[in-house]
Amino acid sequence: MSLPADIREHVSLQAMNSLGIAASARWFVDVDSDTQLGPILDYADREGLPTLILGGGSNLVFADDYSGLVVRMAIAGRRWEQVEADSAVLVLGAGENWHESVLYAAAAGYRGIENLALIPGTAGAAPVQNIGAYGVELGDSLVSVTVLDREAGQWRVIANEDCDFAYRDSLFKRQPGRFVITELRLRLSRSRPMVLGYADLADYFDGQNTEELTPLDVAQAVMAVRRRKLPDPQQVPNAGSFFKNPVVSLATWDKLKSDYPDMPGYPGAQTAKLAAAWLIDQCGWKGYRNERVGVHNRQALVLINHSGGNGTDVLTLAERIRKDVVKRFGVALEMEPGVIPAVLTPEK
Ligand code: EPU
């Protein structure tokens, strides 16, 4: 087969996934423009190669080497559009670093994504799991996403209301492989009230006059809070929260709360969200480690690759934790990161 010039063979992915798993890609290409994307994907389709679109690799577990083509999304670009008196639209190329984009917006005085500081990964990956922290989700400010729809074979702009955003979920996550995100648009504001009510942030600002805070102050507070609790993937390989916070019926919540009065939870109108970290912590897993992998000692929701762990090590530990939580609380935790290759996902 005649190989497009930029595609490389047998490339290590270890530095491209935040868990530091030593998987490799049979084929690999960096894509830094949308004009490059179509021909590369057409080539993969002609050759029958499965493709994996890779952002920052901070929300996946390589269970094995990847036998197809890994396309690393490297489209750069940050610009402002529709600049009005109070609001503006920030346009981000999918390959932009998310955290730097947050600081860029906050430093310009724009509010909306400051609570999402220090979330690892790229802008293009952010809508897939509708990243969220400290009471804010990406979907709160996202206007639209530009995608290549591989099923329809055309470029599309998908508006927020069609992205099906939910807690750590979206259209893009539900139809894996169909959409390749190349650009996002976020509507930010100079005056929108900032969200400071989440316990960790409220504690941070306790006793301070929050009226005067700038979005950069809030981003910096979020960074301080995250650094206290969450390990830096550059130093301690991890994929952030390894499980979603489970959502249960109000009847289940009432029963759990009467059995475990200390259990934290966030009841809503129809369902309640539980704290997966607390459930895992109660089962005694916090700080656990074997020779290769373990559980963070300050946040039980974060699994860590201490030393040369592979995908099986991580997934085996996750499964042991999941089983313990089901046994003790009758609650089934769902993994947050995706498993690649997908067929090896233990829960499905
Ligand atoms: N808790 C424990 N043990 C622990 C950690 C926490 O009992 O080891 C308890 C806490 O006391 C608290 C509750 O669990 O009552 C919730 O903990 P925390 O506020 O730290 O938040 P979380 O629900 O564990 C979620 C997100 C994080 C996000 C924080 C802040 C999910 C799956 N995780 O964690 O997102 O930063 O809230 O908004 O929704 C990520 O997705 O990678 C991530 C880090």
Side-chain angles (χ1 to χ4, degrees):
M1 56 186 175
S2 83
L3 207 60
D6 304 332
I7 296 184
R8 292 185 281 144
E9 198 175 352
H10 297 300
V11 171
S12 168
L13 300 169
Q14 190 165 17
M16 297 185 220
N17 73 99
S18 64
L19 268 168
I21 290 171
S24 69
R26 177 75 169 85
W27 306 101
F28 178 89
V29 65
D30 268 316
V31 164
D32 54 20
S33 75
D34 49 8
T35 48
Q36 205 189 346
L37 186 63
I40 295 273
L41 296 179
D42 286 347
Y43 167 81
D45 287 346
R46 275 199 311 276
E47 299 295 333
L49 288 177
T51 48
L52 168 68
I53 309 293
L54 189 63
S58 52
N59 203 43
L60 50 79
V61 182
F62 283 113
D64 207 343
D65 291 335
Y66 193 72
S67 59
L69 172 67
V70 172
V71 177
R72 185 167 58 174
M73 189 47 71
I75 298 176
R78 282 198 295 240
R79 63 178 195 277
W80 295 99
E81 276 180 359
Q82 301 175 38
V83 180
E84 290 160 16
D86 176 64
S87 77
V89 170
L90 176 61
V91 186
L92 297 174
E96 287 292 329
N97 176 277
W98 173 258
H99 171 65
E100 281 164 20
S101 306
V102 168
L103 293 184
Y104 175 78
Y110 283 100
R111 303 166 172 213
I113 52 175
E114 57 282 352
N115 291 31
L116 308 181
L118 223 53
I119 294 183
T122 56
V128 178
Q129 56 150 344
N130 185 22
I131 57 170
Y134 308 103
V136 171
E137 291 185 343
L138 179 78
D140 302 338
S141 48
L142 185 120
V143 177
S144 64
V145 176
T146 306
V147 300
L148 179 60
D149 179 346
R150 298 184 71 187
E151 206 171 286
Q154 63 184 37
W155 288 93
R156 287 173 55 189
V157 175
I158 303 184
N160 181 318
E161 49 279 22
D162 298 321
C163 292
D164 285 345
F165 285 129
Y167 167 63
R168 293 293 194 275
D169 203 12
S170 73
L171 170 74
F172 315 109
K173 192 162 176 180
R174 269 178 243 131
Q175 298 192 35
R178 175 167 173 187
F179 301 102
V180 183
I181 297 172
T182 57
E183 195 169 73
L184 12 161
R185 284 181 163 67
L186 306 170
R187 166 76 63 186
L188 305 176
S189 148
R190 290 186 174 280
S191 64
R192 180 191 301 176
M194 291 192 281
V195 180
L196 306 174
Y198 195 94
D200 284 344
L201 264 193
D203 290 348
Y204 185 92
F205 288 121
D206 193 28
Q208 273 191 55
N209 175 10
T210 52
E211 293 292 304
E212 303 281 294
L213 292 177
T214 67
L216 195 56
D217 294 333
V218 174
Q220 278 159 353
V222 167
M223 289 161 68
V225 168
R226 286 185 75 102
R227 284 190 173 123
R228 270 207 302 263
K229 288 199 168 174
L230 296 165
D232 176 356
Q234 303 285 355
Q235 277 144 31
V236 182
N238 74 88
S241 298
F242 205 86
F243 298 99
K244 294 190 209 175
N245 283 332
V247 176
V248 298
S249 68
L250 288 178
T252 303
W253 163 242
D254 289 342
K255 169 87 176 66
L256 285 168
K257 192 73 186 161
S258 80
D259 291 349
Y260 306 95
D262 296 339
M263 180 183 278
Y266 316 93
Q270 268 134 41
T271 54
K273 200 190 269 180
L274 308 180
W278 187 89
L279 302 173
I280 297 168
D281 201 345
Q282 292 297 304
C283 293
W285 283 103
K286 189 157 153 179
Y288 165 87
R289 62 183 289 175
N290 61 33
E291 323 79 78
R292 292 191 290 274
V293 296
V295 179
H296 188 49
N297 57 10
R298 274 173 282 142
Q299 222 310 356
L301 204 41
V302 178
L303 301 199
I304 284 169
N305 187 2
H306 285 293
S307 171
N310 60 24
T312 307
D313 295 320
V314 175
L315 294 172
T316 303
L317 174 59
E319 186 55 16
R320 289 177 64 197
I321 293 172
R322 208 183 65 86
K323 281 200 174 127
D324 266 9
V325 171
V326 171
K327 202 162 138 199
R328 173 102 178 256
F329 298 104
V331 173
L333 296 180
E334 210 183 298
M335 264 181 66
E336 196 192 273
V339 179
I340 308 291
V343 284
L344 295 180
T345 309
E347 297 154 301
K348 290 181 185 154

